[in-house]
Amino acid sequence: MPPTDPPQGENSPKPSGKPKARAGRKGPPSDVVGIEIGAGLAEGAPAVRLHRSPEGFLRIVAAGFVPVVSDIESILAMPADMRGPWSLPPAFRAPAAALAVTAPDALVRQSDSVEDATADFDASTLRTKAFDAGRKGSLPFVAFMPEELARRVARLLPEGRKPTAVSIQVSPLARVNAFAASPALGAAGGTAVLVQIASNTTTIALFAKGAVALYRELSVGEEDSLHAVAGPMNVDNATARELLEGGLVDPAPFLGPLLMPVFRQAELSTDWVLRRNGLVVEKFFVAGPAALAPHWAAIFRDQTGREATTCDPIADFPQEDGADLPVDFDKVSGRFAAALGAAAAAMQDEEEDAT
């Protein structure tokens, strides 16, 4: 890789040579495949293989849908002692692997303690990981999922890879990490608000000088948005998506009331970081399905008077020459955010990242 390639986000490795390993332990891996578990896609499980050059730059080696058992129901139905039945295609056989888990009860909360974050759950049934975002004064994070799910997912690590502190992550935080490693955050100076649309939730993450200072997860997502458009038009969600992708309908009258509380939370987050850290946030990004992100950004501008930029961390991410990608990668790249974020997190210090 040419040494003139720009670094990605503020949290990405800097071009200062090979990362130094701590005494007595190996450094983080430089070749990792990230796989999203529980995405529920007919095409297969989204997977991204990342490689870090000796200069410290991350690039995509391969991305695609791998044919493995990845839906949560099937995984939980497997015998408890079953070992990984996966065999990955050659392009995805990296020496290290990281899994991002998408499930209703695989969550992350920003909280003072594990006890507060998991107060609505039976803590004895959970696997938890507490960590900070690397910024002094920020609230710590707690990522958690049912212990039974975590144990069975760990058995699925491909080709005998052993689980580590970051080999199993929760998908909402993995998507945020994909943005943290993308060129967009670096170009914004490391300070920005991300509105990340997922299937049934939306994450608001405020980055202050490269670190996540505030994190909120709201129960409004892609499915709610499609239903809000499809219902009044008397069509199904698939047709609504096609209409939105083609720009054949103005969704503002349908989506405006739905998104008002989401965007209000985004605005409040900037007030919070201004009072707490004295930072003025001027950059806003919307990431998510191509059918919705531009419309969300336009409604954000109408409701707040601030500009929001649509962002696809995967589409903008540097790629190796000859990277193994789907032929329609430009249309489906948004589905790989969690897989990319999982791989990027595994390349960082294991003691500083997610579950």
Side-chain angles (χ1 to χ4, degrees):
M1 178 189 308
T4 55
D5 282 359
Q8 286 87 57
E10 288 285 318
N11 290 341
S12 300
K14 302 301 188 293
S16 56
K18 294 183 179 180
K20 295 180 180 179
R22 294 184 180 180
R25 62 179 294 230
K26 298 173 66 176
S30 60
D31 188 359
V32 180
V33 59
I35 306 171
E36 183 181 1
I37 305 301
L41 301 176
E43 300 94 324
V48 175
R49 182 174 178 177
L50 283 185
H51 180 262
R52 181 178 53 228
S53 73
E55 294 79 19
F57 299 120
L58 303 184
R59 295 177 80 87
I60 294 175
V61 177
F65 299 101
V66 294
V68 299
V69 176
S70 66
D71 64 284
I72 299 301
E73 293 78 10
S74 296
I75 291 171
L76 290 176
M78 291 177 179
D81 60 349
M82 178 176 286
R83 290 291 174 180
W86 289 4
S87 178
L88 297 179
F92 296 93
R93 293 175 188 170
L99 308 181
V101 180
T102 298
D105 41 10
L107 304 169
V108 61
R109 296 286 182 264
Q110 192 172 21
S111 178
D112 287 311
S113 67
V114 172
E115 290 75 18
D116 288 345
T118 60
D120 296 333
F121 300 84
D122 181 355
S124 65
T125 66
L126 301 176
R127 179 176 297 189
T128 62
K129 173 71 175 180
F131 55 99
D132 63 54
R135 181 170 177 80
K136 185 178 180 181
S138 295
L139 287 174
F141 292 81
V142 178
F144 57 94
M145 69 183 72
E147 172 63 35
E148 181 66 16
L149 175 59
R151 184 165 54 247
R152 289 175 185 254
V153 168
R155 294 180 182 275
L156 296 176
L157 282 166
E159 302 173 13
R161 273 45 170 198
K162 295 181 179 179
T164 69
V166 293
S167 59
I168 303 175
Q169 305 166 37
V170 295
S171 289
L173 200 59
R175 294 188 187 95
V176 170
N177 197 70
F179 176 75
S182 74
L185 183 60
T191 299
V193 172
L194 170 68
V195 179
Q196 173 71 61
I197 311 166
S199 294
N200 298 296
T201 60
T202 294
T203 297
I204 296 173
L206 190 149
F207 290 82
K209 296 183 179 179
V212 180
L214 189 67
Y215 179 99
R216 293 287 182 269
E217 193 173 306
L218 307 176
S219 57
V220 175
E222 177 184 12
E223 293 302 316
D224 302 285
S225 298
L226 293 175
H227 183 72
V229 174
M233 298 188 67
N234 197 29
V235 299
D236 58 21
N237 282 10
T239 302
R241 181 183 286 107
E242 292 177 1
L243 293 173
L244 291 169
E245 286 178 343
L248 301 177
V249 60
D250 177 11
F254 312 123
L255 294 183
L258 179 72
L259 300 182
M260 189 174 295
V262 177
F263 296 152
R264 179 57 178 159
Q265 285 295 317
E267 283 195 298
L268 290 174
S269 68
T270 65
D271 295 337
W272 181 87
V273 79
L274 176 62
R275 293 193 306 269
R276 187 179 179 93
N277 302 102
L279 286 176
V280 177
V281 181
E282 298 179 333
K283 300 291 186 180
F284 295 83
F285 294 89
V286 178
L292 290 176
H295 297 295
W296 278 46
I299 295 171
F300 181 87
R301 181 185 61 245
D302 293 342
Q303 290 190 357
T304 69
R306 308 191 195 202
E307 291 294 330
T309 302
T310 57
C311 173
D312 183 347
I314 310 300
D316 298 334
F317 209 89
Q319 302 169 8
E320 292 277 11
D321 292 337
D324 190 332
L325 305 173
V327 293
D328 59 346
F329 186 65
D330 59 328
K331 297 180 180 179
V332 299
S333 57
R335 298 191 178 193
F336 295 95
L340 173 67
M347 288 181 162
Q348 299 167 2
D349 192 318
E350 294 175 0
E351 295 180 358
E352 297 177 358
D353 288 289
T355 64

